[in-house]
Every structure is written in structure tokens, then in C-alpha cells.
Amino acid sequence: MRPPKNRPASNTQVLHLRPAVASSLSLQHAFNFLRQGQGERAMPLLEKLLQNDPQNFDALHLLGQLHLQRREAAQALQCLEKARALKQPTAALLNNLGIALRLLGRASEALDCYAQALAQQPDYAEALVNQGNALRDLGQSAQALASYEAALALRPAHPQALNNRALALRELGRLPEALGCARQAASQHPGYAEARYSLGLLLQESGDGLAALQAYEQALALAPGDPETLNAKGSALEALQRPQEALDCYAQALRQAPAHPDALANITALLERLGQPQEAARYRQKAPQAGGPASG
């Protein structure tokens, strides 16, 4: 059984619209739609603005943020780079550039953007969290921990800072502290599914399978159908000797993400242990690459 893994750390992004921009009604409407999570309504407004004024810094920045919300990193980077070329970048633009670069696997370049953003605005908690995420991507967990703690000194209840601090502590082998931090994140932010997932991961690693299962179920109540959490719940059920329920979780995960490597590996191995080699072979054929080494 492959144990559940850390997810890629959550980036933090703050929508930014300067007062000087508010004179543009279309920009203000697009900003409001983005803030409300209605990107499909913001897109045509921004595209029309840029047709009429291709060098509109604020429209380019907002369009880049919209692409980030959709995890369209390449399109986001293109818009944000165009905006940066027009004038001295703001700290918010540099932060968002870093997010796009990190999503594209360019963590070292992202770090440079966050450093520039923090040089402009040292109390920028979001940039500190994102800097920590890029440092963790590069295997620098101790430096990442310091970055998260700097963010928490500014905003003690910052959800991503708390959650990702717990994961950095885990990577440094400080499991009791990590568990305490994850409990704090879940308690202070009851609607934050990511904190429940991280809590389950740490509880499972500490040997409290029933509590881990409860945390995963709480995460799924907040984010139904999340394949990573379904896979993790399956692994917890399997460890609790509840194989049929585990099979159902792995199958649900694969309905959401048919190529999920860990769910495929877990369901294949469990079916073999249950004496169902034909079913196991059916899943193995779907992902021959799923037989690699486990990662935790």
C-alpha cells in the first residue's frame, strides 16, 4: 500500500485593484467577478478591454490572475510577463508571477520573484507563504519553515501558512509539532479542506488510524470527490482491516482521476491480496507506470 502523500503546497493569491483603476467600470466589474469566483463573467470583459487597449497593465494583471484561478499557468505567465514589461512591477504582480512559475515547475525563478516582492513589501504574508512553498519544492524545508513562521508572525491565523508549516515540520522529522500545527489549522479554519487532509496524513503517520479516517471524511465533506483524499481514506481503511471499503474509496478516486498513480497501485495490490488477480490485472493495464517506488 502506498501511503498518502503531501499535496503540492497551496499558493496564496490576493486579488489586487488599485483605487486609480476603479474609474474603469469594466475593470471594476471584472475584479468583482473574480473576487466572487465568477471567472467566466470576468473573461469577456477583460478580453474586450485588451482588444481596445493591448497595453492595459491592470487588465493584463487581472487576466493573469484569472488564469491562475483556473490553474492555467502558461497563459497566466504570458499575461503577467506582458504586464511586467509595461512598467515597474508591483509586489502583487511579482507574487503572481512567482505562482505561475512555480506551477510550471520553475521554483528557483519563482523564488526570485518572491524575493523582489518582499523587497518592495516586507510585510507581504502571501509572498512569504509562497516563498516557503517554492523552498519546499526545492527540498529546503528548514528555510521554508522560517518563511511560514515569518508569515504567521504577521498573520497568526493565516490558513495556508499554518497548514504548510505543519508539512514542513513533518519533512524535518518533527511529527508532534507538525500534528499540533495541523490541529490548529483545522480548528481555526473549519471550512479549509486542505487542513483536514493534512491532519489526516499526520494522524495516520502517528498511528491513529481511526482519527485519520475521521479527518479524511471531514475533508471530503468539504471537498467531495477529491481523488487525493479518497485515495488517502482508502489507505486508512485498508490499515484498519476494512478492505472492501478501501476498494470502494480507491474506485471512487479513479472515477474522478482515472490515471491517479497511487490509487491504481493501491487498488491493484489490494485486489491481488484479496485473491482477485483478473481484476488486479485490469487496473494494472491502465497504468503500467504505477508500479514504481512508493513515495511518502
PDB file of all heavy atoms in Angstrom, residues 215-245:
ATOM      1  N   ALA A 215     -10.671  12.515   9.912  1.00  0.00           N
ATOM      2  CA  ALA A 215     -10.184  13.754   9.287  1.00  0.00           C
ATOM      3  C   ALA A 215     -10.384  13.711   7.775  1.00  0.00           C
ATOM      4  O   ALA A 215     -10.792  14.710   7.157  1.00  0.00           O
ATOM      5  CB  ALA A 215      -8.713  13.963   9.627  1.00  0.00           C
ATOM      6  N   TYR A 216     -10.110  12.558   7.157  1.00  0.00           N
ATOM      7  CA  TYR A 216     -10.319  12.448   5.710  1.00  0.00           C
ATOM      8  C   TYR A 216     -11.802  12.590   5.363  1.00  0.00           C
ATOM      9  O   TYR A 216     -12.165  13.214   4.352  1.00  0.00           O
ATOM     10  CB  TYR A 216      -9.799  11.108   5.198  1.00  0.00           C
ATOM     11  CG  TYR A 216      -8.299  10.941   5.282  1.00  0.00           C
ATOM     12  CD1 TYR A 216      -7.747   9.719   5.672  1.00  0.00           C
ATOM     13  CD2 TYR A 216      -7.429  11.977   4.957  1.00  0.00           C
ATOM     14  CE1 TYR A 216      -6.371   9.546   5.739  1.00  0.00           C
ATOM     15  CE2 TYR A 216      -6.060  11.811   5.030  1.00  0.00           C
ATOM     16  CZ  TYR A 216      -5.532  10.585   5.428  1.00  0.00           C
ATOM     17  OH  TYR A 216      -4.173  10.416   5.490  1.00  0.00           O
ATOM     18  N   GLU A 217     -12.668  12.018   6.191  1.00  0.00           N
ATOM     19  CA  GLU A 217     -14.108  12.146   5.930  1.00  0.00           C
ATOM     20  C   GLU A 217     -14.557  13.597   6.049  1.00  0.00           C
ATOM     21  O   GLU A 217     -15.403  14.064   5.275  1.00  0.00           O
ATOM     22  CB  GLU A 217     -14.885  11.242   6.894  1.00  0.00           C
ATOM     23  CG  GLU A 217     -14.732   9.750   6.551  1.00  0.00           C
ATOM     24  CD  GLU A 217     -15.333   8.830   7.589  1.00  0.00           C
ATOM     25  OE1 GLU A 217     -15.594   9.297   8.722  1.00  0.00           O
ATOM     26  OE2 GLU A 217     -15.536   7.637   7.273  1.00  0.00           O
ATOM     27  N   GLN A 218     -13.985  14.322   7.014  1.00  0.00           N
ATOM     28  CA  GLN A 218     -14.307  15.743   7.138  1.00  0.00           C
ATOM     29  C   GLN A 218     -13.809  16.519   5.923  1.00  0.00           C
ATOM     30  O   GLN A 218     -14.493  17.432   5.440  1.00  0.00           O
ATOM     31  CB  GLN A 218     -13.690  16.292   8.426  1.00  0.00           C
ATOM     32  CG  GLN A 218     -14.355  15.769   9.691  1.00  0.00           C
ATOM     33  CD  GLN A 218     -13.565  16.079  10.952  1.00  0.00           C
ATOM     34  OE1 GLN A 218     -12.384  16.439  10.901  1.00  0.00           O
ATOM     35  NE2 GLN A 218     -14.218  15.960  12.098  1.00  0.00           N
ATOM     36  N   ALA A 219     -12.627  16.154   5.427  1.00  0.00           N
ATOM     37  CA  ALA A 219     -12.105  16.815   4.227  1.00  0.00           C
ATOM     38  C   ALA A 219     -13.012  16.563   3.032  1.00  0.00           C
ATOM     39  O   ALA A 219     -13.282  17.464   2.230  1.00  0.00           O
ATOM     40  CB  ALA A 219     -10.685  16.329   3.935  1.00  0.00           C
ATOM     41  N   LEU A 220     -13.503  15.341   2.913  1.00  0.00           N
ATOM     42  CA  LEU A 220     -14.383  15.006   1.793  1.00  0.00           C
ATOM     43  C   LEU A 220     -15.745  15.679   1.912  1.00  0.00           C
ATOM     44  O   LEU A 220     -16.389  15.969   0.897  1.00  0.00           O
ATOM     45  CB  LEU A 220     -14.542  13.491   1.686  1.00  0.00           C
ATOM     46  CG  LEU A 220     -13.312  12.762   1.144  1.00  0.00           C
ATOM     47  CD1 LEU A 220     -13.418  11.259   1.378  1.00  0.00           C
ATOM     48  CD2 LEU A 220     -13.131  13.059  -0.347  1.00  0.00           C
ATOM     49  N   ALA A 221     -16.192  15.934   3.127  1.00  0.00           N
ATOM     50  CA  ALA A 221     -17.443  16.674   3.296  1.00  0.00           C
ATOM     51  C   ALA A 221     -17.300  18.096   2.770  1.00  0.00           C
ATOM     52  O   ALA A 221     -18.265  18.689   2.284  1.00  0.00           O
ATOM     53  CB  ALA A 221     -17.848  16.690   4.767  1.00  0.00           C
ATOM     54  N   LEU A 222     -16.076  18.633   2.848  1.00  0.00           N
ATOM     55  CA  LEU A 222     -15.810  19.985   2.365  1.00  0.00           C
ATOM     56  C   LEU A 222     -15.462  20.008   0.880  1.00  0.00           C
ATOM     57  O   LEU A 222     -15.758  20.988   0.191  1.00  0.00           O
ATOM     58  CB  LEU A 222     -14.656  20.598   3.172  1.00  0.00           C
ATOM     59  CG  LEU A 222     -14.947  20.835   4.662  1.00  0.00           C
ATOM     60  CD1 LEU A 222     -13.649  21.106   5.408  1.00  0.00           C
ATOM     61  CD2 LEU A 222     -15.923  21.994   4.839  1.00  0.00           C
ATOM     62  N   ALA A 223     -14.819  18.954   0.410  1.00  0.00           N
ATOM     63  CA  ALA A 223     -14.403  18.876  -0.997  1.00  0.00           C
ATOM     64  C   ALA A 223     -14.768  17.498  -1.531  1.00  0.00           C
ATOM     65  O   ALA A 223     -13.899  16.634  -1.710  1.00  0.00           O
ATOM     66  CB  ALA A 223     -12.899  19.127  -1.131  1.00  0.00           C
ATOM     67  N   PRO A 224     -16.051  17.261  -1.782  1.00  0.00           N
ATOM     68  CA  PRO A 224     -16.495  15.928  -2.215  1.00  0.00           C
ATOM     69  C   PRO A 224     -15.817  15.502  -3.519  1.00  0.00           C
ATOM     70  O   PRO A 224     -15.619  16.303  -4.430  1.00  0.00           O
ATOM     71  CB  PRO A 224     -18.006  16.100  -2.415  1.00  0.00           C
ATOM     72  CG  PRO A 224     -18.365  17.296  -1.609  1.00  0.00           C
ATOM     73  CD  PRO A 224     -17.170  18.198  -1.657  1.00  0.00           C
ATOM     74  N   GLY A 225     -15.448  14.233  -3.568  1.00  0.00           N
ATOM     75  CA  GLY A 225     -14.890  13.693  -4.802  1.00  0.00           C
ATOM     76  C   GLY A 225     -13.423  13.981  -5.007  1.00  0.00           C
ATOM     77  O   GLY A 225     -12.873  13.620  -6.057  1.00  0.00           O
ATOM     78  N   ASP A 226     -12.746  14.595  -4.044  1.00  0.00           N
ATOM     79  CA  ASP A 226     -11.321  14.879  -4.232  1.00  0.00           C
ATOM     80  C   ASP A 226     -10.546  13.562  -4.308  1.00  0.00           C
ATOM     81  O   ASP A 226     -10.549  12.779  -3.347  1.00  0.00           O
ATOM     82  CB  ASP A 226     -10.791  15.728  -3.080  1.00  0.00           C
ATOM     83  CG  ASP A 226      -9.320  16.035  -3.243  1.00  0.00           C
ATOM     84  OD1 ASP A 226      -8.977  16.866  -4.090  1.00  0.00           O
ATOM     85  OD2 ASP A 226      -8.505  15.416  -2.528  1.00  0.00           O
ATOM     86  N   PRO A 227      -9.871  13.279  -5.432  1.00  0.00           N
ATOM     87  CA  PRO A 227      -9.251  11.953  -5.595  1.00  0.00           C
ATOM     88  C   PRO A 227      -8.114  11.681  -4.620  1.00  0.00           C
ATOM     89  O   PRO A 227      -7.949  10.538  -4.157  1.00  0.00           O
ATOM     90  CB  PRO A 227      -8.754  11.972  -7.048  1.00  0.00           C
ATOM     91  CG  PRO A 227      -8.678  13.402  -7.427  1.00  0.00           C
ATOM     92  CD  PRO A 227      -9.726  14.110  -6.638  1.00  0.00           C
ATOM     93  N   GLU A 228      -7.341  12.717  -4.267  1.00  0.00           N
ATOM     94  CA  GLU A 228      -6.233  12.507  -3.334  1.00  0.00           C
ATOM     95  C   GLU A 228      -6.757  12.103  -1.960  1.00  0.00           C
ATOM     96  O   GLU A 228      -6.219  11.202  -1.303  1.00  0.00           O
ATOM     97  CB  GLU A 228      -5.396  13.778  -3.235  1.00  0.00           C
ATOM     98  CG  GLU A 228      -3.961  13.546  -2.785  1.00  0.00           C
ATOM     99  CD  GLU A 228      -3.133  12.857  -3.842  1.00  0.00           C
ATOM    100  OE1 GLU A 228      -3.141  13.297  -5.000  1.00  0.00           O
ATOM    101  OE2 GLU A 228      -2.480  11.851  -3.499  1.00  0.00           O
ATOM    102  N   THR A 229      -7.831  12.754  -1.527  1.00  0.00           N
ATOM    103  CA  THR A 229      -8.396  12.434  -0.222  1.00  0.00           C
ATOM    104  C   THR A 229      -9.086  11.073  -0.242  1.00  0.00           C
ATOM    105  O   THR A 229      -9.009  10.312   0.728  1.00  0.00           O
ATOM    106  CB  THR A 229      -9.379  13.530   0.226  1.00  0.00           C
ATOM    107  OG1 THR A 229      -8.744  14.806   0.106  1.00  0.00           O
ATOM    108  CG2 THR A 229      -9.795  13.326   1.664  1.00  0.00           C
ATOM    109  N   LEU A 230      -9.756  10.747  -1.334  1.00  0.00           N
ATOM    110  CA  LEU A 230     -10.367   9.417  -1.446  1.00  0.00           C
ATOM    111  C   LEU A 230      -9.305   8.319  -1.384  1.00  0.00           C
ATOM    112  O   LEU A 230      -9.496   7.290  -0.722  1.00  0.00           O
ATOM    113  CB  LEU A 230     -11.162   9.318  -2.744  1.00  0.00           C
ATOM    114  CG  LEU A 230     -12.493  10.059  -2.759  1.00  0.00           C
ATOM    115  CD1 LEU A 230     -13.008  10.226  -4.186  1.00  0.00           C
ATOM    116  CD2 LEU A 230     -13.532   9.324  -1.905  1.00  0.00           C
ATOM    117  N   ASN A 231      -8.189   8.531  -2.067  1.00  0.00           N
ATOM    118  CA  ASN A 231      -7.107   7.556  -2.012  1.00  0.00           C
ATOM    119  C   ASN A 231      -6.561   7.434  -0.592  1.00  0.00           C
ATOM    120  O   ASN A 231      -6.300   6.330  -0.095  1.00  0.00           O
ATOM    121  CB  ASN A 231      -5.987   7.953  -2.976  1.00  0.00           C
ATOM    122  CG  ASN A 231      -4.803   7.012  -2.888  1.00  0.00           C
ATOM    123  OD1 ASN A 231      -4.906   5.845  -3.232  1.00  0.00           O
ATOM    124  ND2 ASN A 231      -3.682   7.520  -2.398  1.00  0.00           N
ATOM    125  N   ALA A 232      -6.373   8.569   0.084  1.00  0.00           N
ATOM    126  CA  ALA A 232      -5.859   8.556   1.452  1.00  0.00           C
ATOM    127  C   ALA A 232      -6.850   7.858   2.391  1.00  0.00           C
ATOM    128  O   ALA A 232      -6.448   7.069   3.264  1.00  0.00           O
ATOM    129  CB  ALA A 232      -5.600   9.981   1.924  1.00  0.00           C
ATOM    130  N   LYS A 233      -8.140   8.125   2.213  1.00  0.00           N
ATOM    131  CA  LYS A 233      -9.145   7.448   3.030  1.00  0.00           C
ATOM    132  C   LYS A 233      -9.093   5.941   2.788  1.00  0.00           C
ATOM    133  O   LYS A 233      -9.194   5.142   3.728  1.00  0.00           O
ATOM    134  CB  LYS A 233     -10.535   7.992   2.703  1.00  0.00           C
ATOM    135  CG  LYS A 233     -11.654   7.352   3.524  1.00  0.00           C
ATOM    136  CD  LYS A 233     -13.033   7.858   3.105  1.00  0.00           C
ATOM    137  CE  LYS A 233     -14.133   7.104   3.844  1.00  0.00           C
ATOM    138  NZ  LYS A 233     -15.489   7.505   3.396  1.00  0.00           N
ATOM    139  N   GLY A 234      -8.909   5.546   1.540  1.00  0.00           N
ATOM    140  CA  GLY A 234      -8.775   4.126   1.251  1.00  0.00           C
ATOM    141  C   GLY A 234      -7.596   3.501   1.972  1.00  0.00           C
ATOM    142  O   GLY A 234      -7.696   2.394   2.522  1.00  0.00           O
ATOM    143  N   SER A 235      -6.470   4.196   1.992  1.00  0.00           N
ATOM    144  CA  SER A 235      -5.291   3.640   2.667  1.00  0.00           C
ATOM    145  C   SER A 235      -5.527   3.531   4.165  1.00  0.00           C
ATOM    146  O   SER A 235      -5.070   2.580   4.809  1.00  0.00           O
ATOM    147  CB  SER A 235      -4.055   4.495   2.373  1.00  0.00           C
ATOM    148  OG  SER A 235      -4.120   5.739   3.029  1.00  0.00           O
ATOM    149  N   ALA A 236      -6.265   4.501   4.752  1.00  0.00           N
ATOM    150  CA  ALA A 236      -6.594   4.420   6.169  1.00  0.00           C
ATOM    151  C   ALA A 236      -7.519   3.244   6.450  1.00  0.00           C
ATOM    152  O   ALA A 236      -7.340   2.506   7.426  1.00  0.00           O
ATOM    153  CB  ALA A 236      -7.232   5.727   6.633  1.00  0.00           C
ATOM    154  N   LEU A 237      -8.517   3.041   5.598  1.00  0.00           N
ATOM    155  CA  LEU A 237      -9.430   1.900   5.768  1.00  0.00           C
ATOM    156  C   LEU A 237      -8.701   0.577   5.615  1.00  0.00           C
ATOM    157  O   LEU A 237      -8.952  -0.384   6.358  1.00  0.00           O
ATOM    158  CB  LEU A 237     -10.559   2.007   4.740  1.00  0.00           C
ATOM    159  CG  LEU A 237     -11.614   3.075   5.023  1.00  0.00           C
ATOM    160  CD1 LEU A 237     -12.422   3.372   3.769  1.00  0.00           C
ATOM    161  CD2 LEU A 237     -12.528   2.625   6.162  1.00  0.00           C
ATOM    162  N   GLU A 238      -7.771   0.535   4.675  1.00  0.00           N
ATOM    163  CA  GLU A 238      -7.002  -0.689   4.476  1.00  0.00           C
ATOM    164  C   GLU A 238      -6.166  -1.004   5.714  1.00  0.00           C
ATOM    165  O   GLU A 238      -6.100  -2.164   6.152  1.00  0.00           O
ATOM    166  CB  GLU A 238      -6.111  -0.536   3.246  1.00  0.00           C
ATOM    167  CG  GLU A 238      -5.531  -1.840   2.747  1.00  0.00           C
ATOM    168  CD  GLU A 238      -4.779  -1.689   1.438  1.00  0.00           C
ATOM    169  OE1 GLU A 238      -4.933  -0.657   0.746  1.00  0.00           O
ATOM    170  OE2 GLU A 238      -4.027  -2.630   1.113  1.00  0.00           O
ATOM    171  N   ALA A 239      -5.554   0.019   6.296  1.00  0.00           N
ATOM    172  CA  ALA A 239      -4.760  -0.182   7.505  1.00  0.00           C
ATOM    173  C   ALA A 239      -5.623  -0.625   8.681  1.00  0.00           C
ATOM    174  O   ALA A 239      -5.147  -1.317   9.590  1.00  0.00           O
ATOM    175  CB  ALA A 239      -4.012   1.103   7.854  1.00  0.00           C
ATOM    176  N   LEU A 240      -6.897  -0.255   8.655  1.00  0.00           N
ATOM    177  CA  LEU A 240      -7.841  -0.651   9.712  1.00  0.00           C
ATOM    178  C   LEU A 240      -8.506  -1.993   9.410  1.00  0.00           C
ATOM    179  O   LEU A 240      -9.473  -2.371  10.069  1.00  0.00           O
ATOM    180  CB  LEU A 240      -8.906   0.434   9.876  1.00  0.00           C
ATOM    181  CG  LEU A 240      -8.426   1.767  10.474  1.00  0.00           C
ATOM    182  CD1 LEU A 240      -9.477   2.849  10.293  1.00  0.00           C
ATOM    183  CD2 LEU A 240      -8.070   1.597  11.948  1.00  0.00           C
ATOM    184  N   GLN A 241      -7.987  -2.704   8.406  1.00  0.00           N
ATOM    185  CA  GLN A 241      -8.505  -4.030   8.030  1.00  0.00           C
ATOM    186  C   GLN A 241      -9.952  -3.959   7.559  1.00  0.00           C
ATOM    187  O   GLN A 241     -10.786  -4.802   7.895  1.00  0.00           O
ATOM    188  CB  GLN A 241      -8.374  -5.018   9.214  1.00  0.00           C
ATOM    189  CG  GLN A 241      -6.970  -5.135   9.777  1.00  0.00           C
ATOM    190  CD  GLN A 241      -5.964  -5.594   8.725  1.00  0.00           C
ATOM    191  OE1 GLN A 241      -6.225  -6.539   7.983  1.00  0.00           O
ATOM    192  NE2 GLN A 241      -4.809  -4.948   8.668  1.00  0.00           N
ATOM    193  N   ARG A 242     -10.245  -2.958   6.747  1.00  0.00           N
ATOM    194  CA  ARG A 242     -11.576  -2.812   6.154  1.00  0.00           C
ATOM    195  C   ARG A 242     -11.406  -2.783   4.636  1.00  0.00           C
ATOM    196  O   ARG A 242     -11.597  -1.752   3.984  1.00  0.00           O
ATOM    197  CB  ARG A 242     -12.245  -1.555   6.702  1.00  0.00           C
ATOM    198  CG  ARG A 242     -12.559  -1.682   8.195  1.00  0.00           C
ATOM    199  CD  ARG A 242     -12.779  -0.350   8.908  1.00  0.00           C
ATOM    200  NE  ARG A 242     -13.934   0.379   8.451  1.00  0.00           N
ATOM    201  CZ  ARG A 242     -14.345   1.531   8.996  1.00  0.00           C
ATOM    202  NH1 ARG A 242     -13.708   2.050  10.037  1.00  0.00           N
ATOM    203  NH2 ARG A 242     -15.402   2.168   8.511  1.00  0.00           N
ATOM    204  N   PRO A 243     -11.010  -3.912   4.048  1.00  0.00           N
ATOM    205  CA  PRO A 243     -10.574  -3.911   2.648  1.00  0.00           C
ATOM    206  C   PRO A 243     -11.671  -3.578   1.642  1.00  0.00           C
ATOM    207  O   PRO A 243     -11.393  -2.926   0.632  1.00  0.00           O
ATOM    208  CB  PRO A 243     -10.033  -5.321   2.444  1.00  0.00           C
ATOM    209  CG  PRO A 243     -10.714  -6.151   3.485  1.00  0.00           C
ATOM    210  CD  PRO A 243     -10.872  -5.241   4.666  1.00  0.00           C
ATOM    211  N   GLN A 244     -12.901  -4.016   1.875  1.00  0.00           N
ATOM    212  CA  GLN A 244     -13.947  -3.739   0.896  1.00  0.00           C
ATOM    213  C   GLN A 244     -14.253  -2.250   0.823  1.00  0.00           C
ATOM    214  O   GLN A 244     -14.459  -1.691  -0.263  1.00  0.00           O
ATOM    215  CB  GLN A 244     -15.214  -4.541   1.233  1.00  0.00           C
ATOM    216  CG  GLN A 244     -15.037  -6.050   1.097  1.00  0.00           C
ATOM    217  CD  GLN A 244     -14.608  -6.450  -0.315  1.00  0.00           C
ATOM    218  OE1 GLN A 244     -15.046  -5.874  -1.318  1.00  0.00           O
ATOM    219  NE2 GLN A 244     -13.743  -7.458  -0.402  1.00  0.00           N
ATOM    220  N   GLU A 245     -14.279  -1.597   1.980  1.00  0.00           N
ATOM    221  CA  GLU A 245     -14.484  -0.150   1.984  1.00  0.00           C
ATOM    222  C   GLU A 245     -13.302   0.566   1.333  1.00  0.00           C
ATOM    223  O   GLU A 245     -13.477   1.574   0.634  1.00  0.00           O
ATOM    224  CB  GLU A 245     -14.680   0.345   3.418  1.00  0.00           C
ATOM    225  CG  GLU A 245     -15.966  -0.117   4.070  1.00  0.00           C
ATOM    226  CD  GLU A 245     -15.975   0.201   5.554  1.00  0.00           C
ATOM    227  OE1 GLU A 245     -16.357   1.342   5.901  1.00  0.00           O
ATOM    228  OE2 GLU A 245     -15.587  -0.671   6.350  1.00  0.00           O
TER     229      GLU A 245
END
